[in-house]
Amino acid sequence: MANIFDVATEAGVSHQTVSRVVNGDPTVRPATKARVDAAVSKLNYRPSAAARALASRKTRTLGLISTGGPLFGPSSIMQGFDGAARQAGYQVSIASLPTDDVTTFAAGMRSAVDALLGQNVEAIVLIAPDTAGIDAIRAVDVGRPLVAADSTASEGLVSVSLDQYAGAVLATRHLVELGHRRIVHVGGLSTWTDARERERGWRDVVTAAGVEPLPVVRGDWSPESGYRIGLDLADRAKRGEITAVFCANDQMALGILHALSERRIRVPDQVSIVGFDDVPEAAHYIPPLTTVRQDFAALGRQIMSTVEALLVPQGAPPVVQAAPAPAPALVVRESTGPAPA
């Protein structure tokens, strides 16, 4: 494998000049740069990332901390950001923190930040759908630009997010327009900011329709919790207490569909169901699920664009900002229909 000295010999220049060229030094004469570029291409030279970092004092590495676990939303945001970062020429170091043990969570956050700073990351992105993650990062002296995927725009943090409230309004309004008035909301964990925003959207729409909101039923985002909730909802549907369900994510909606089918409650003839996220399997549920689609790839690009803007040196031209992530969109399928007479 060719090294920097081989390139210097081929181009007839010093290895310091090769280093200046590969690190983008604008003072190198065009003719010299052309010779070095030709030698790099001929020898298939790949400069050392560590050497470039020492020369430029930039590692082109970003840190990513996630507290959302393997759930579809947080993991999709992680994937979207990682793809956008790599397209921009950055590597991403990832730390995932479980939130099940609150006594060790704050220490875990400090350790994750310390590990990333030890890799000399240029900025840190936090994907923390729960308030514990936001509170924990606030207690740490990050010392780097920090961007959070936080739907409530917490004070003191640079936040980028999708509009959870708007998505919930779309879902609930769809049910109201179909004539439903007894709409129950199956919410996620109350510590999650996204769950609170989706509940707020549902509550505002049913209240505006002149309906007293039914008590919220909470799950833990899993299909199993949806199934347990669905067994109770089936009994309530038989008694005519509910005609529609707005579920805070598609996985819980899957469990509810299972329970309703088991109890022989017809969807959507007796109960309509709307989910949230539009997971790839949602179109193949039985029946196919009406849900709210979110553009996680666009959110990843927006987060990366925000990071780049924070990294621009003072006095340098601003970076071109990515377009804001589009608003959530309602995807109507066969799980919703007119309210029963």
Side-chain angles (χ1 to χ4, degrees), residues 6 24 64 84 88 92 102 106 168-169 180 182 191 203 219-220 224 250 262 270 285 290 301 329 333:
D6 297 327
L64 173 61
V92 179
V102 294
V169 167
H180 294 279
R182 297 185 294 279
T191 55
R203 191 177 301 277
D220 63 6
E224 179 60 31
D250 291 345
E262 197 170 82
Q270 293 173 272
Y285 287 2
T290 295
R301 291 191 295 271
R333 298 192 179 103

Side-chain angles (χ1 to χ4, degrees), residues 175 178-182 243 268-270 272 337-341:
L175 294 170
L178 287 169
H180 294 279
R181 292 298 180 269
R182 297 185 294 279
T243 65
D269 296 340
Q270 293 173 272
S272 287

Side-chain angles (χ1 to χ4, degrees), residues 25-229:
D25 188 338
T27 65
V28 178
R29 291 185 298 175
T32 302
K33 180 179 183 303
R35 294 206 312 274
V36 172
D37 287 342
V40 167
S41 177
K42 178 180 178 180
L43 298 176
N44 195 29
Y45 171 62
R46 294 292 180 268
S48 161
R52 294 186 68 178
L54 288 172
S56 66
R57 301 189 185 279
K58 292 185 179 298
T59 61
R60 304 294 290 183
T61 301
L62 304 174
L64 173 61
I65 301 174
S66 174
T67 67
L71 291 171
F72 180 77
S75 62
S76 296
I77 297 172
M78 288 177 64
Q79 185 177 15
F81 169 71
D82 184 63
R86 293 180 185 280
Q87 190 171 23
Y90 286 83
Q91 297 296 313
V92 179
S93 292
I94 299 175
S96 297
L97 297 180
T99 58
D100 50 353
D101 188 350
V102 294
T103 60
T104 62
F105 183 71
M109 179 65 76
R110 287 193 296 272
S111 295
V113 171
D114 287 345
L116 293 174
L117 295 181
Q119 299 175 50
N120 201 24
V121 297
E122 296 184 38
I124 291 177
V125 169
L126 174 67
I127 300 174
D130 56 325
T131 53
I134 299 296
D135 293 341
I137 201 75
R138 285 174 178 275
V140 180
D141 182 13
V142 175
R144 298 285 192 279
L146 173 66
V147 177
D150 174 23
S151 60
T152 57
S154 299
E155 185 178 353
L157 289 179
V158 177
S159 299
V160 182
S161 68
L162 298 169
D163 195 336
Q164 308 299 311
Y165 176 85
V169 167
L170 286 175
T172 312
R173 187 174 291 158
H174 172 64
L175 294 170
V176 169
E177 290 172 351
L178 287 169
H180 294 279
R181 292 298 180 269
R182 297 185 294 279
I183 305 169
V184 67
H185 177 50
V186 176
L189 297 171
S190 60
T191 55
W192 285 48
T193 55
D194 287 358
R196 295 200 296 268
E197 286 297 284
R198 294 171 196 179
E199 179 183 337
R200 185 168 70 91
W202 159 81
R203 191 177 301 277
D204 284 354
V205 171
V206 295
T207 300
V211 178
E212 180 70 22
L214 296 171
V216 174
V217 184
R218 295 206 179 277
D220 63 6
W221 304 112
S222 70
E224 179 60 31
S225 70
Y227 174 76
R228 292 194 301 268
I229 290 167

